[in-house]
Amino acid sequence: MRFEITRLDDVDGTPVDTIVVDAASVSRIVQQAAAIGQRLWIRPVETSAS
């Protein structure tokens, strides 16, 4: 499963940048963000049927 992680501005909460990662990377990214007080928005990415 893949997730879209959006980094949010510290002042007004607007999106700053977005990445799409696999489930294994989410925990590491969340831990890094928590260590520096960064706000994130995380949601699953729909996979398209081929």
Side-chain angles (χ1 to χ4, degrees), residues 7 9 17 21-22 33-34 37 39 49:
R7 185 168 53 102
D9 182 81
D17 61 11
V21 297
D22 61 0
R39 297 191 309 170

Side-chain angles (χ1 to χ4, degrees), residues 19-30:
I19 59 172
V20 176
V21 297
D22 61 0
S25 300
V26 173
S27 177
R28 176 182 51 82
I29 292 169
V30 168

Side-chain angles (χ1 to χ4, degrees), residues 4-8 14-19 39-43:
E4 178 181 74
I5 299 177
T6 302
R7 185 168 53 102
L8 303 174
T14 58
V16 176
D17 61 11
T18 300
I19 59 172
R39 297 191 309 170
L40 302 176
W41 178 37
I42 303 170
R43 65 183 184 157

